[in-house]
Short mmCIF file of all heavy atoms in Angstrom, two decimals:
data_model
loop_
_atom_site.label_atom_id
_atom_site.label_comp_id
_atom_site.label_asym_id
_atom_site.label_seq_id
_atom_site.Cartn_x
_atom_site.Cartn_y
_atom_site.Cartn_z
N VAL A 1 -44.16 60.29 -29.70
CA VAL A 1 -45.26 60.53 -30.66
C VAL A 1 -45.25 59.40 -31.74
O VAL A 1 -46.26 58.76 -32.01
CB VAL A 1 -45.22 61.84 -31.34
CG1 VAL A 1 -46.23 61.91 -32.53
CG2 VAL A 1 -45.42 62.95 -30.35
N GLU A 2 -44.07 59.14 -32.27
CA GLU A 2 -43.92 58.07 -33.31
C GLU A 2 -44.32 56.72 -32.83
O GLU A 2 -44.91 55.90 -33.48
CB GLU A 2 -42.57 58.09 -33.88
CG GLU A 2 -42.33 59.29 -34.72
CD GLU A 2 -40.85 59.41 -35.29
OE1 GLU A 2 -40.00 58.63 -34.80
OE2 GLU A 2 -40.56 60.23 -36.21
N GLU A 3 -43.97 56.46 -31.53
CA GLU A 3 -44.22 55.15 -30.82
C GLU A 3 -45.76 54.93 -30.73
O GLU A 3 -46.29 53.89 -31.03
CB GLU A 3 -43.51 55.06 -29.49
CG GLU A 3 -43.55 53.69 -28.87
CD GLU A 3 -42.65 53.70 -27.64
OE1 GLU A 3 -43.00 54.59 -26.70
OE2 GLU A 3 -41.77 52.95 -27.49
N LEU A 4 -46.43 56.00 -30.21
CA LEU A 4 -47.90 56.08 -30.09
C LEU A 4 -48.60 55.79 -31.34
O LEU A 4 -49.54 55.03 -31.58
CB LEU A 4 -48.44 57.36 -29.38
CG LEU A 4 -48.08 57.43 -27.92
CD1 LEU A 4 -48.41 58.87 -27.44
CD2 LEU A 4 -48.87 56.39 -27.11
N LEU A 5 -48.14 56.58 -32.44
CA LEU A 5 -48.83 56.42 -33.74
C LEU A 5 -48.63 55.02 -34.33
O LEU A 5 -49.53 54.51 -34.93
CB LEU A 5 -48.21 57.50 -34.70
CG LEU A 5 -48.50 58.89 -34.54
CD1 LEU A 5 -47.64 59.93 -35.42
CD2 LEU A 5 -50.09 59.24 -34.73
N ALA A 6 -47.47 54.44 -34.15
CA ALA A 6 -47.09 53.13 -34.65
C ALA A 6 -48.02 52.04 -33.99
O ALA A 6 -48.33 51.03 -34.47
CB ALA A 6 -45.65 52.82 -34.47
N SER A 7 -48.39 52.41 -32.69
CA SER A 7 -49.24 51.34 -31.96
C SER A 7 -50.76 51.46 -32.40
O SER A 7 -51.57 50.68 -32.04
CB SER A 7 -49.21 51.71 -30.48
OG SER A 7 -49.89 52.85 -30.10
N GLY A 8 -51.12 52.39 -33.33
CA GLY A 8 -52.39 52.53 -33.81
C GLY A 8 -53.24 53.55 -33.05
O GLY A 8 -54.49 53.84 -33.38
N LYS A 9 -52.65 54.28 -32.13
CA LYS A 9 -53.39 55.34 -31.40
C LYS A 9 -53.40 56.64 -32.23
O LYS A 9 -52.41 56.97 -32.84
CB LYS A 9 -52.64 55.57 -30.05
CG LYS A 9 -52.79 54.51 -29.00
CD LYS A 9 -54.06 54.55 -28.34
CE LYS A 9 -54.21 53.62 -27.09
NZ LYS A 9 -55.47 53.74 -26.41
N ASP A 10 -54.53 57.30 -32.03
CA ASP A 10 -54.57 58.67 -32.57
C ASP A 10 -53.95 59.56 -31.49
O ASP A 10 -54.19 59.37 -30.34
CB ASP A 10 -56.03 59.10 -32.86
CG ASP A 10 -56.64 58.44 -33.98
OD1 ASP A 10 -55.99 57.90 -34.84
OD2 ASP A 10 -57.88 58.43 -34.08
N VAL A 11 -53.07 60.45 -31.99
CA VAL A 11 -52.30 61.28 -31.04
C VAL A 11 -52.66 62.76 -31.24
O VAL A 11 -52.65 63.17 -32.40
CB VAL A 11 -50.84 61.08 -31.18
CG1 VAL A 11 -50.04 61.93 -30.23
CG2 VAL A 11 -50.49 59.61 -30.95
N ILE A 12 -52.91 63.51 -30.15
CA ILE A 12 -53.18 64.95 -30.29
C ILE A 12 -51.97 65.70 -29.64
O ILE A 12 -51.47 65.38 -28.61
CB ILE A 12 -54.35 65.31 -29.26
CG1 ILE A 12 -55.72 64.72 -29.93
CG2 ILE A 12 -54.52 66.75 -29.14
CD1 ILE A 12 -56.91 64.85 -29.05
N LEU A 13 -51.51 66.64 -30.49
CA LEU A 13 -50.45 67.60 -30.00
C LEU A 13 -51.25 68.90 -29.64
O LEU A 13 -51.85 69.51 -30.57
CB LEU A 13 -49.51 67.80 -31.06
CG LEU A 13 -48.65 66.55 -31.55
CD1 LEU A 13 -47.63 67.07 -32.54
CD2 LEU A 13 -48.01 65.81 -30.40
N GLU A 14 -51.09 69.24 -28.32
CA GLU A 14 -51.75 70.53 -27.89
C GLU A 14 -50.70 71.57 -27.93
O GLU A 14 -49.93 71.80 -26.93
CB GLU A 14 -52.31 70.24 -26.51
CG GLU A 14 -53.10 71.47 -25.96
CD GLU A 14 -53.55 71.28 -24.53
OE1 GLU A 14 -53.41 70.12 -24.09
OE2 GLU A 14 -54.08 72.12 -23.95
N ILE A 15 -50.53 72.27 -29.06
CA ILE A 15 -49.34 73.16 -29.26
C ILE A 15 -49.81 74.45 -29.97
O ILE A 15 -50.88 74.53 -30.46
CB ILE A 15 -48.19 72.50 -30.13
CG1 ILE A 15 -48.84 71.98 -31.46
CG2 ILE A 15 -47.60 71.24 -29.37
CD1 ILE A 15 -47.82 71.34 -32.32
N ASP A 16 -48.89 75.47 -29.95
CA ASP A 16 -49.30 76.72 -30.56
C ASP A 16 -48.94 76.74 -32.08
O ASP A 16 -48.47 75.72 -32.57
CB ASP A 16 -48.47 77.88 -29.80
CG ASP A 16 -47.04 77.84 -30.03
OD1 ASP A 16 -46.45 76.92 -30.72
OD2 ASP A 16 -46.29 78.77 -29.59
N TRP A 17 -49.14 77.76 -32.65
CA TRP A 17 -48.97 77.86 -34.14
C TRP A 17 -47.56 77.63 -34.55
O TRP A 17 -47.26 77.01 -35.62
CB TRP A 17 -49.55 79.12 -34.74
CG TRP A 17 -48.62 80.36 -34.40
CD1 TRP A 17 -48.73 81.22 -33.37
CD2 TRP A 17 -47.58 80.83 -35.21
NE1 TRP A 17 -47.75 82.19 -33.37
CE2 TRP A 17 -47.11 82.04 -34.53
CE3 TRP A 17 -46.95 80.46 -36.46
CZ2 TRP A 17 -45.96 82.73 -34.97
CZ3 TRP A 17 -45.89 81.17 -36.91
CH2 TRP A 17 -45.38 82.30 -36.15
N GLN A 18 -46.61 78.12 -33.77
CA GLN A 18 -45.22 77.86 -34.02
C GLN A 18 -44.82 76.43 -34.08
O GLN A 18 -44.20 75.94 -35.00
CB GLN A 18 -44.33 78.61 -33.04
CG GLN A 18 -44.46 80.09 -32.91
CD GLN A 18 -43.63 80.66 -31.82
OE1 GLN A 18 -42.40 80.83 -31.86
NE2 GLN A 18 -44.28 80.95 -30.71
N GLY A 19 -45.30 75.71 -33.04
CA GLY A 19 -45.05 74.24 -32.96
C GLY A 19 -45.83 73.56 -34.08
O GLY A 19 -45.20 72.59 -34.69
N ALA A 20 -46.94 73.94 -34.46
CA ALA A 20 -47.72 73.35 -35.53
C ALA A 20 -46.96 73.49 -36.84
O ALA A 20 -46.85 72.46 -37.64
CB ALA A 20 -49.07 74.02 -35.70
N ASP A 21 -46.38 74.62 -37.08
CA ASP A 21 -45.58 74.86 -38.25
C ASP A 21 -44.37 73.85 -38.29
O ASP A 21 -44.10 73.35 -39.38
CB ASP A 21 -45.15 76.32 -38.31
CG ASP A 21 -44.49 76.59 -39.69
OD1 ASP A 21 -45.16 76.37 -40.78
OD2 ASP A 21 -43.41 77.15 -39.66
N GLN A 22 -43.70 73.64 -37.19
CA GLN A 22 -42.60 72.78 -37.20
C GLN A 22 -42.99 71.36 -37.39
O GLN A 22 -42.31 70.60 -38.17
CB GLN A 22 -41.95 72.84 -35.79
CG GLN A 22 -41.22 74.15 -35.47
CD GLN A 22 -40.63 74.29 -34.02
OE1 GLN A 22 -39.93 73.37 -33.70
NE2 GLN A 22 -40.97 75.26 -33.37
N VAL A 23 -44.15 70.95 -36.79
CA VAL A 23 -44.61 69.56 -37.01
C VAL A 23 -44.88 69.26 -38.42
O VAL A 23 -44.72 68.18 -38.94
CB VAL A 23 -45.77 69.31 -36.00
CG1 VAL A 23 -46.34 67.96 -36.38
CG2 VAL A 23 -45.33 69.30 -34.64
N ARG A 24 -45.65 70.18 -39.11
CA ARG A 24 -46.12 70.03 -40.52
C ARG A 24 -44.87 69.68 -41.44
O ARG A 24 -45.08 69.02 -42.40
CB ARG A 24 -46.88 71.24 -41.04
CG ARG A 24 -48.25 71.46 -40.41
CD ARG A 24 -49.05 72.46 -41.15
NE ARG A 24 -50.09 72.98 -40.33
CZ ARG A 24 -50.18 74.07 -39.65
NH1 ARG A 24 -49.12 74.75 -39.53
NH2 ARG A 24 -51.22 74.38 -38.89
N LYS A 25 -43.72 70.34 -41.09
CA LYS A 25 -42.51 70.18 -41.88
C LYS A 25 -41.93 68.75 -41.73
O LYS A 25 -41.19 68.33 -42.56
CB LYS A 25 -41.57 71.22 -41.60
CG LYS A 25 -42.06 72.67 -41.95
CD LYS A 25 -41.06 73.64 -41.56
CE LYS A 25 -41.52 75.12 -42.01
NZ LYS A 25 -40.62 76.25 -41.44
N GLN A 26 -42.25 68.03 -40.61
CA GLN A 26 -41.67 66.85 -40.36
C GLN A 26 -42.65 65.68 -40.55
O GLN A 26 -42.21 64.46 -40.94
CB GLN A 26 -41.18 66.76 -38.93
CG GLN A 26 -40.05 67.77 -38.64
CD GLN A 26 -39.37 67.61 -37.30
OE1 GLN A 26 -38.76 66.60 -37.07
NE2 GLN A 26 -39.59 68.57 -36.43
N ILE A 27 -43.90 65.87 -40.27
CA ILE A 27 -44.92 64.74 -40.47
C ILE A 27 -46.03 65.32 -41.34
O ILE A 27 -46.71 66.15 -40.92
CB ILE A 27 -45.53 64.25 -39.07
CG1 ILE A 27 -44.30 63.75 -38.18
CG2 ILE A 27 -46.51 63.16 -39.33
CD1 ILE A 27 -44.83 63.26 -36.79
#
């Protein structure tokens, strides 16, 4: 994910609410 974002791409994470909560805490 970090590699794709660094390349300028918009990245979609298709995840549930639990995963969303984890991601918010890191990015």
Side-chain angles (χ1 to χ4, degrees):
V1 169
E2 291 177 346
E3 194 173 55
L4 288 170
L5 290 172
S7 74
K9 288 279 189 180
D10 289 341
V11 180
I12 293 173
L13 300 185
E14 186 182 352
I15 54 180
D16 70 355
W17 72 269
Q18 299 174 78
D21 188 52
Q22 291 178 53
V23 172
R24 288 191 196 98
K25 292 174 181 176
Q26 297 189 65
I27 300 180

